[in-house]
């Protein structure tokens, strides 16, 4: 289904996939995100870095309207996906989330079999015509999340029975299976060993050819390795946003420099 | 603190081999607490054992009944004066026509066995249950061709004779009793030795309808069990979907505001409302206003539904709340709608809790008496309600009401029967709880 558009996208890369302007998020009286402008370019990996509690997850959740599910959360400003305001009253967040997939900070597999975990998204979105097609999606997704070898003999066993790192990769496979246009990943590698981390980074790099990926990470090395753009958040503000190489070698804000050299955070 | 000479171990600041005061005090406190806990458990178990032994020792005998077996000659001139075996005409002969037949056959049988007794024919016939002529009449009307034959029948013995074999009636008590004489007991004893009378398991206690206060030996639980069963169906069919739907809406969909807070508080309060209040409500609404029939399982079921709803709603909401929110986020994050997230993921996880809550609610409803008294379920009903759905509107009794009813009757034989009914009620409750546990196991194993 994406073939046509994939070709199209290859032609005009550097298209803006998401543009956020003047975004403010409040949790009750807490002002968690303060007037943030970010552009997410298509077919790139954008990294969000910043000290704990600075609002990276909060901002990420704005991009697929997961903040709607938090009663006290209030989002202001405008966020456009492909030029359409995703907070427009006419937009159904359910439809939006099929386009903008998400991997959560804490692994949260369904207490169902590994197979059903991965197959759930394709099933509800009708992505597979028959069982064989579904099998294929499941295998492909698990392979991409570097979980296939460990999981192929136990597809019917509960996903909750996997180790923490395996669960996180299962969640990645699950998100990839629905074929989103944008993939939001909240610290996808925080529970992974270096080998699995390398595999996920490889996956992210591969995904970039078709999707835009936004990744939250606490690892400067990871941000430097996988991303082309980096946004540095501090206390709810977007301090600096630009080319990853630029941010890491020549930050313009002293706070950015202190953070990446390990003095804040 | 200690010498730092290299190879030898440092002297401990305090010895681990000796308990200090604080540790000893804490250990003593723990030992005391364990003792209290154990005492509490023992008290609970003792109370339970006491309750069960008293009920079992009183009630187990009600499942056994004394029968008299003897040949009965079904004289044609008495039962079918026209001689055409037409059940409609034969129905004109009432039970009063059958009673002498039974008495006569019984006396003849006793004489033929050569048993000596001072009793006159009337007193001998009085040993047969008053229920027997009616049973024989029903049998003859159902099958008129047996008229004229002599058939061997097993008929209920009177309640006092039955009590004698169960140890409730003694020679001494018979002296003072207008309903039985020591001579009758002697004859009964002799008949038992001859094998004419025996006490055996009696299905009729479970299947037969209630009987009047003079015939405890014939009273059964059939109508009460059916009535309770019908009410449970009504409760299950109404309370489970309504309760679960309400809980899902309140927990997952409703906005959290003053109004839903108010509803929440009121549901909790509703669970604490005395059940008799629901009875009054049922009387006013379902019978006086809606005009539904009295003593009908549908009304009982509706009242019990009102009572059970808060229990189910509270249990369902608690188990919905226990499902980790990350599961909901996971589903929503994949582009599932709220309803899909609830029905595909949350509800299956909450199902064991919902089931347990529902069955506990049903068990409560099954044992509830007070509201049923108000809506007339206490009436004396001898007709079985017909099959559903019509049966829901027929008069019926209910198990706990039957217990209450029997304890109100003067004949001591009903004490035994009330305890027996309690045993049946307990068996149903244990069965329901076992089902709850089984279902829970099965559902939990799937995840
Ligand atoms: N559901 C919520 N309700 C109220 N406040 C919240 C909620 N979620 C986050 N916050 C607050 O918003 C701020 C930003 O939180 P957020 O989770 O976005 O931080 P983060 O940058 O992702 O941190 P970390 O790196 O530790 O994950 C914090 O001060 C946090 O306390
Ligand atoms: Mg976070």
């Amino acid at each position: 289904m994406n073939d046509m558009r994939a070709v199209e996208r290859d032609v005009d890369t550097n298209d803006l996939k998401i543009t956020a302007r003047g975004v403010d998020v409040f949790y009750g009286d807490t002002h968690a995100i303060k007037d943030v402008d970010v552009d997410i370019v298509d077919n790139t990996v954008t990294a969000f870095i910043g000290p704990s509690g600075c609002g990276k997850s909060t901002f990420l959740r704005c991009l697929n309207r997961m903040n709607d599910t938090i009663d006290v959360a209030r989002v202001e400003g405008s966020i456009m996906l492909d030029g359409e305001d995703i907070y427009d009253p006419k937009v159904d967040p359910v439809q939006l989330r099929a386009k903008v997939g998400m991997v959560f900070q804490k692994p949260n597999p369904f207490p169902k079999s590994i197979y059903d975990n991965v197959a759930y998204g394709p099933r509800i979105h009708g992505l597979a015509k028959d069982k064989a097609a579904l099998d294929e999606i499941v295998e492909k997704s698990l392979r991409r999340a570097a979980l296939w070898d460990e999981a192929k003999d136990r597809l019917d066993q509960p996903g909750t029975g996997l180790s923490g790192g395996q669960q996180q990769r299962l969640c990645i496979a699950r998100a990839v299976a629905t074929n989103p246009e944008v993939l939001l990943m909240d610290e996808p590698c925080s529970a992974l060993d270096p080998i699995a981390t390398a595999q996920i980074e490889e996956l992210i790099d591969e995904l970039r050819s078709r999707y835009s990926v936004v990744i939250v990470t606490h690892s400067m090395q990871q941000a430097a390795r996988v991303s082309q753009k980096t946004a540095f958040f501090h206390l709810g503000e977007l301090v600096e946003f630009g080319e990853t190489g630029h941010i890491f070698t020549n930050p313009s804000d002293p706070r950015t420099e202190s953070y990446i050299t390990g003095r804040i955070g | 603190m200690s010498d730092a000479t290299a190879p030898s171990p440092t002297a401990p600041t305090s010895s681990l081999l000796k308990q200090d005061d604080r540790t000893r005090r804490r250990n003593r406190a723990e030992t005391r607490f364990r003792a209290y806990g154990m005492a509490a458990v023992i008290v609970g178990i003792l109370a339970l054992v006491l309750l069960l032994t008293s009920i079992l020792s009183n009630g187990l005998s009600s499942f056994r009944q004394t029968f008299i077996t003897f040949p009965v000659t079904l004289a044609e001139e008495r039962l079918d004066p026209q001689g055409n075996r037409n059940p409609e005409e034969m129905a004109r002969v009432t039970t009063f026509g059958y009673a002498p037949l039974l008495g006569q056959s019984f006396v003849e049988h006793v004489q033929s066995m050569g048993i000596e007794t001072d009793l006159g024919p009337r007193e001998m016939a009085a040993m047969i249950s008053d229920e027997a002529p009616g049973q024989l009449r029903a049998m003859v009307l159902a099958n008129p061709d047996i008229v004229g034959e002599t058939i061997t029948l097993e008929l209920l013995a009177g309640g006092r004779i039955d009590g004698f074999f169960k140890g409730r009636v003694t020679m001494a008590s018979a002296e003072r009793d207008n309903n039985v004489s020591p001579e009758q007991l002697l004859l009964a004893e002799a008949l038992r030795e001859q094998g004419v009378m025996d006490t055996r398991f009696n299905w009729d206690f479970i299947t037969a309808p209630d009987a009047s206060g003079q015939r405890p030996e014939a009273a059964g639980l059939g109508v009460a069990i059916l009535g309770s069963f019908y009410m449970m169906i009504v409760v299950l069919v109404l309370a489970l979907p309504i309760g679960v739907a309400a809980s899902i809406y309140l927990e997952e969909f409703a906005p959290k505001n003053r109004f839903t807070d108010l509803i929440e508080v009121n549901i909790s309060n509703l669970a604490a409302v005395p059940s008799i209040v629901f009875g009054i409500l049922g009387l006013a609404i379902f019978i006086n206003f809606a005009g539904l029939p009295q003593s009908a399982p549908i009304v009982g079921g509706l009242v019990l539904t009102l009572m059970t709803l808060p229990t189910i709603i509270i249990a369902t909401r608690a188990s919905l709340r226990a499902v980790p929110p990350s599961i909901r986020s996971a589903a929503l994050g994949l582009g599932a709608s709220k309803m899909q997230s609830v029905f595909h993921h949350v509800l299956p996880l909450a199902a064991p809790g919902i089931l347990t809550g529902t069955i506990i609610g049903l068990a409560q409803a099954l044992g509830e008496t007070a509201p049923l008294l108000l809506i007339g379920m206490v009436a004396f009903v001898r007709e079985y309600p017909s099959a559903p759905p019509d049966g829901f509107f027929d008069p019926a009794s209910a198990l706990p009401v039957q217990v209450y009813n029997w304890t109100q009757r003067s004949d001591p034989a009903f004490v035994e029967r009330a305890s027996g009914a309690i045993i049946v009620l307990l068996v149903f409750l244990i069965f329901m709880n076992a089902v709850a546990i089984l279902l829970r196991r099965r559902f939990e194993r799937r995840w």
Side-chain angles (χ1 to χ4, degrees), chain A residues 121-172:
Chain A
R123 272 193 190 128
I124 59 172
H125 296 303
L127 298 185
K129 297 192 296 291
D130 50 23
K131 180 84 171 70
L134 195 58
D135 287 348
E136 201 187 307
I137 293 179
V138 170
E139 177 175 346
K140 204 174 81 193
S141 308
L142 284 170
R143 276 191 196 284
R144 297 172 90 182
L147 191 60
W148 177 249
D149 291 332
E150 286 147 273
K152 64 170 181 279
D153 297 325
R154 46 192 290 198
L155 288 177
D156 54 348
Q157 282 172 33
T160 37
L162 296 170
S163 79
Q166 289 171 330
Q167 288 186 14
Q168 188 63 293
R169 278 178 280 157
L170 179 61
C171 293
I172 294 173

Side-chain angles (χ1 to χ4, degrees), chain A residues 56-57 105 186-187 216:
Chain A
K56 305 179 295 295
S57 301
Q105 187 162 358
D186 200 346
E187 295 184 43
V216 172

Side-chain angles (χ1 to χ4, degrees), chain B residues 22-263:
Chain B
R22 226 186 131 66
T23 311
R24 223 172 302 138
R25 261 205 312 281
R26 284 188 296 189
N27 288 350
R28 268 206 304 275
E30 186 173 325
T31 316
R32 269 201 308 277
F33 179 76
R34 278 170 192 250
Y36 295 151
M38 242 134 79
V41 170
I42 289 172
V43 168
I45 290 179
L46 274 183
L48 188 68
V49 167
L50 208 71
L51 180 84
L52 283 181
T53 38
S54 109
I55 289 174
L56 288 179
S57 63
N58 273 327
L60 272 183
S61 57
S62 60
F63 292 92
R64 295 158 55 75
Q65 204 62 46
T66 306
F67 290 87
I68 316 178
T69 315
F70 60 94
V72 179
T73 309
L74 302 170
E76 183 176 11
E77 68 273 16
R78 283 281 186 80
L79 305 183
D80 188 12
Q82 263 75 39
N84 54 12
R85 301 290 186 269
N86 181 349
E88 273 171 34
E89 287 179 20
M90 287 163 67
R92 289 206 201 113
V93 182
T94 60
T95 49
F96 294 111
Y98 285 81
L101 253 165
L102 282 178
Q104 202 179 332
S105 298
F106 180 55
V107 172
E108 279 166 15
H109 188 61
V110 171
Q111 280 162 356
S112 75
M113 304 213 59
I115 299 171
E116 292 287 315
T117 172
D118 301 337
L119 292 170
R122 284 187 77 108
E123 288 162 309
M124 278 161 76
M127 292 168 69
I128 306 170
S129 165
D130 291 344
E131 192 73 12
Q135 286 173 345
L136 179 62
R137 179 168 178 267
M139 195 171 138
V140 169
L141 291 184
N143 185 10
D145 292 334
I146 54 174
V147 171
E149 291 174 25
T150 299
I151 51 173
T152 302
L153 291 177
E154 241 189 3
L155 296 166
L156 281 170
R160 290 297 197 284
I161 305 296
D162 179 56
F164 174 57
F165 290 131
K166 289 173 181 169
R168 194 173 57 236
V169 176
T170 59
M171 291 294 173
S173 76
E175 296 275 4
R176 287 175 268 111
D177 196 335
N178 291 335
N179 292 319
V180 69
S181 65
E183 287 76 31
Q184 285 177 320
L185 297 185
L186 283 176
L187 175 59
E189 186 69 58
L191 284 172
R192 181 161 71 166
E193 271 155 31
Q194 300 280 342
V196 176
M197 279 197 186
D198 80 319
T199 309
R200 59 170 175 76
F201 187 79
N202 176 27
W203 273 111
D204 283 350
F205 176 61
I206 296 167
T207 58
D210 193 10
S212 72
Q214 281 74 48
R215 303 169 184 176
E217 66 276 5
L221 287 169
V223 174
I225 290 178
L226 259 184
S228 277
F229 180 66
Y230 283 6
M231 287 197 297
M232 290 304 104
I233 292 179
V234 173
V235 174
L236 190 67
V237 164
L238 292 179
L240 183 64
I242 297 178
V244 171
S247 322
I248 291 179
Y249 176 73
L250 284 175
E251 199 57 43
E252 306 282 340
F253 294 92
K256 305 274 173 282
N257 55 27
R258 285 259 178 80
F259 183 62
T260 45
D261 281 352
L262 192 75
I263 291 180

